[in-house]
Amino acid sequence: MEGFVVAFLVSFGVIFVAELGDKSQLMAMTFALRYRAWPVLLGITIATAVVHLASVGIGYGLGAALPTGWIALISGIAFIFFGAWTLRGDALTDDEKKKAERSTGSAVLAVGVAFFVAELGDKTMLATITLATRYGWFGTWLGSTLGMVAADALAIVVGRLLGRHLPEKAIKIGAAVLFALFGVWMIAEAVAELT
């Protein structure tokens, strides 16, 4: 049970932070202006659960096949890279904006498909793969899924209350620093294990 709790908490925290300022939050806000919040959150949850289930499958398989010290070192480097990626920022492409603005039919289906496509290869997917190499698959899957849904729910609420007055630069810097710190911590663990 302890391993599950650690996997859940670490994954929840890392993915929540990774999602701050991500294009998925912008999509969530855009969809929430068009649809009610609950169908938007349900679509986000379904898409995230599917993408992150595939991610933990990949990561768990890699973790079983590779030595843990090297995985920790690669994971630490990846998290520093994710921090730099966060600083660079994300923006919705014109195509993603158009999909979010003119989606018709079921809100859950429209949001789910858009989020599924947007998350493939995104930093939250890659971070989930990285986490799954080190922690149990179920705790990582549940934590990463709920961390992303919580961050997107926060974006919907804050976006509706504050509109575009969010301190985006401060959010990006804070998230990047947390990624870098987590990366350094993982590298330190790896070096200790390899020496």
Side-chain angles (χ1 to χ4, degrees), residues 50-66 71 119-121 125-135 137 140-141:
V50 172
V51 170
H52 287 203
L53 186 59
S55 300
V56 297
I58 293 166
Y60 193 72
L62 286 173
L66 301 173
I71 288 174
E119 285 306 305
L120 294 176
M125 180 184 182
L126 299 173
T128 301
I129 291 170
T130 303
L131 289 167
T133 63
R134 303 234 1 177
Y135 301 100
W137 76 269
T140 301
W141 173 70

Side-chain angles (χ1 to χ4, degrees), residues 13-83:
V14 167
I15 298 304
F16 182 87
V17 168
E19 190 64 8
L20 297 177
D22 193 64
K23 69 179 175 182
S24 301
Q25 280 194 316
L26 300 174
M27 286 178 68
M29 283 188 238
T30 303
F31 276 119
L33 294 174
R34 182 176 174 96
Y35 301 114
R36 290 189 336 253
W38 288 114
V40 172
L41 280 177
L42 182 58
I44 290 169
T45 302
I46 292 167
T48 301
V50 172
V51 170
H52 287 203
L53 186 59
S55 300
V56 297
I58 293 166
Y60 193 72
L62 286 173
L66 301 173
T68 58
W70 289 105
I71 288 174
L73 182 62
I74 292 167
S75 296
I77 293 167
F79 272 83
I80 291 171
F81 170 75
F82 296 149

